[in-house]
Amino acid sequence: MTLGLINANPIVREKKERITRPDLQFLFSVYTNLLVRSINIVRDIRDPEHPYSLEQLSVLSEESITVDEKLGRILITFTPTIQHCSMATVIGLCLRVKLKDCFPPHFKVDIKVAPGSHADEEAVNKQLNDKERIVAAMENPNLRQLVDECLYSSEL
Amino acid sequence: MTLHEEEGLQLTEVQRLEGHTDRVWGLAWNPVTGTAGVPAMLASCGGDKTVRIWQQRIPSSTSFDCLEVLEEIHTRTVRSCAWSPSGEKLATASFDATTAILEQNGNEFECVSTLEGHENEVKSVSWNASGSLLATCSRDKCVWIWEVLPGNEFDCVSVLQGHTQDVKMVQWHPTVDVLFSCSYDNTIKVWAEDGDSDDWRCVQTLSEANSGHSSTVWAMSFNATGEKMATCSDDVTIKVWGVDIARLQSGDTNASWSHLCTLSGYHDRTIFSVHWSREGIIATGAADDAICLFIESEDRSVGNKDNTVDGHGPAYKLLLKKEKAHDMDINSVRWSPTENRLLASASDDGSIKIWKLDSMQ
């Protein structure tokens, strides 16, 4: 992997207050339940380059995730910290691994970069969603290790 | 009765084959089985790194048993498998960058050769019609052609460069030694041997500019005569292409393929597999968990919004759509080459299903 940070000075935002279990009882729709659950799941993934979470770096926010429970589909849009972020694919892999454990296996996940947020938007989106490439990447021990670091460090 | 006259056709699930512990990526029917009293044999491969051989308990029955689980062949996902035309050898392509050649010895299969050379994951393998050549392709953007020699020797005769991205599948033409490849670069390339120099070169590229796909092309399949080819893509369409078969068979490698028809609106997610039966039914399997069957439409004036027909080309119509054929993405659909209207499908859900196309009565 590349040495040296690509984005040495990210803008760090305040962590938003968590939506906790008791609050959920006031929400009636299953849709919202799923939506909130998925936000809580992914918001703590560590950015590969910095010790902050994706939420703190504005990579993900509540608007980022849409869930269609009936069809069993999830769409995530995220904003890489800078326009040429080559870590977008790693972030995408992290998101998939995290979501896989928390949703039924038949749920289909599509991940895209927010429109206008990346110089090579179409190319990145294509790579983020090519199932065969994703599987092959996760079988690569170096990439797998990087993903694990991003995911598990947030649990410390 | 022709296919067009038949009504009330349905796809009936006759068996669900379980065993794989991860997604099933590829399927291949042994071409010399399922006929003349020989029980049908099917090979499957997948993310659990195994290759499984399934066999009909008794010929023409619909009960398949798992004959063998081959575990030590590859160290990573096995992506596709293909039987030689004689049915004696099974080639398996893997993410471990190798292609294995397996042979049946009594009741067991053993690896008799391992083809190395690709720089990374091998995606597909295909035998030519006579079994004298083998082709493989990889994420390394290359297509390799191997000569099959006696004693299980395989010599690389050409490394074809031209695709600008990951090559997803290779497929030999059913009657002439012309090779087709499709890629993440959205194109399909046609490769033929230059008569004089014995060099293989790209003789045609089917790209978005000539009515080709606008995203990754995942698979290609030819009809029985080889005059038509169906391709499927991440752009959620199926395209049908045609060639002047007489010209192609006379050895004119410049005989070019032209777009005949685009089928859209039938799948709403990536179409991973397409396969043309001997009878002329096109089957597709996609990430929307559905299987679609198409046949040529006799109604040439078909101008429905889902079909764009080029000039005098034939139109195709949906015969039926089987929604929720599997619980997850379908990666491969394969018609039996010998048993009538028998279809196999493989899925991310780890199962293989055997289907029979029959009438509702």
Side-chain angles (χ1 to χ4, degrees), chain A residues 40-64:
Chain A
N40 284 341
I41 288 161
V42 301
R43 77 201 311 177
D44 276 341
I45 294 173
R46 189 181 81 100
D47 183 279
E49 285 198 314
H50 302 282
Y52 302 103
S53 71
L54 295 182
E55 190 201 9
Q56 289 172 307
L57 293 168
S58 295
V59 177
L60 280 182
S61 66
E62 282 177 24
E63 297 78 53
S64 309

Side-chain angles (χ1 to χ4, degrees), chain A residues 105-108, chain B residues 16 18 287-289 324-330 347-349 351 353:
Chain A
H106 70 274
F107 266 67
K108 299 179 193 291
Chain B
R16 189 179 157 163
E18 299 192 307
D288 59 6
D289 312 346
K324 295 203 194 329
H326 280 271
D327 298 328
M328 293 169 74
D329 290 13
I330 296 168
S347 168
D348 276 359
D349 66 18
S351 75
K353 287 191 181 185

Side-chain angles (χ1 to χ4, degrees), chain B residues 164-201:
Chain B
T164 55
Q165 295 273 5
D166 182 9
V167 188
K168 299 297 196 185
M169 186 187 191
V170 280
Q171 185 67 39
W172 286 97
H173 187 270
T175 59
V176 290
D177 284 345
V178 174
L179 182 65
F180 295 73
S181 59
C182 60
S183 165
Y184 184 101
D185 69 12
N186 309 349
T187 72
I188 296 136
K189 283 185 180 282
V190 187
W191 311 86
E193 213 172 351
D194 192 334
D196 304 328
S197 61
D198 283 351
D199 269 342
W200 286 83
R201 61 184 185 90

Side-chain angles (χ1 to χ4, degrees), chain B residues 59-236:
Chain B
S60 299
S61 74
T62 46
S63 287
F64 284 82
D65 293 323
C66 183
L67 188 68
E68 213 182 328
V69 179
L70 304 162
E71 282 174 302
E72 307 286 299
I73 312 290
H74 290 291
T75 55
R76 282 181 62 177
T77 286
V78 190
R79 176 63 177 91
S80 80
C81 52
W83 294 94
S84 63
S86 67
E88 287 168 13
K89 297 193 231 276
L90 179 68
T92 58
S94 169
F95 284 2
D96 67 12
T98 72
T99 303
I101 308 295
L102 314 173
E103 231 173 42
Q104 194 171 10
N105 195 353
N107 238 7
E108 283 179 358
F109 281 80
E110 52 180 17
C111 179
V112 295
S113 191
T114 302
L115 276 43
E116 294 176 343
H118 280 294
E119 286 171 23
N120 47 51
E121 301 92 54
V122 188
K123 305 288 176 96
S124 171
V125 59
S126 175
W127 301 83
N128 70 342
S130 63
S132 62
L133 297 170
L134 192 70
T136 57
C137 65
S138 160
R139 178 167 64 86
D140 67 10
K141 308 175 189 140
C142 296
V143 172
W144 285 52
I145 297 183
W146 310 78
E147 201 181 352
V148 184
L149 301 168
N152 289 315
E153 287 281 314
F154 292 80
D155 264 5
C156 173
V157 297
S158 198
V159 175
L160 307 173
Q161 296 176 302
H163 279 295
T164 55
Q165 295 273 5
D166 182 9
V167 188
K168 299 297 196 185
M169 186 187 191
V170 280
Q171 185 67 39
W172 286 97
H173 187 270
T175 59
V176 290
D177 284 345
V178 174
L179 182 65
F180 295 73
S181 59
C182 60
S183 165
Y184 184 101
D185 69 12
N186 309 349
T187 72
I188 296 136
K189 283 185 180 282
V190 187
W191 311 86
E193 213 172 351
D194 192 334
D196 304 328
S197 61
D198 283 351
D199 269 342
W200 286 83
R201 61 184 185 90
C202 178
V203 295
Q204 195 180 5
T205 299
L206 305 174
S207 64
E208 198 169 355
N210 26 55
S211 305
H213 289 287
S214 55
S215 190
T216 301
V217 188
W218 282 96
M220 308 157 286
S221 178
F222 294 92
N223 71 344
T225 59
E227 70 184 314
K228 296 208 187 71
M229 169 176 67
T231 59
C232 63
S233 165
D234 177 61
D235 68 9
V236 303

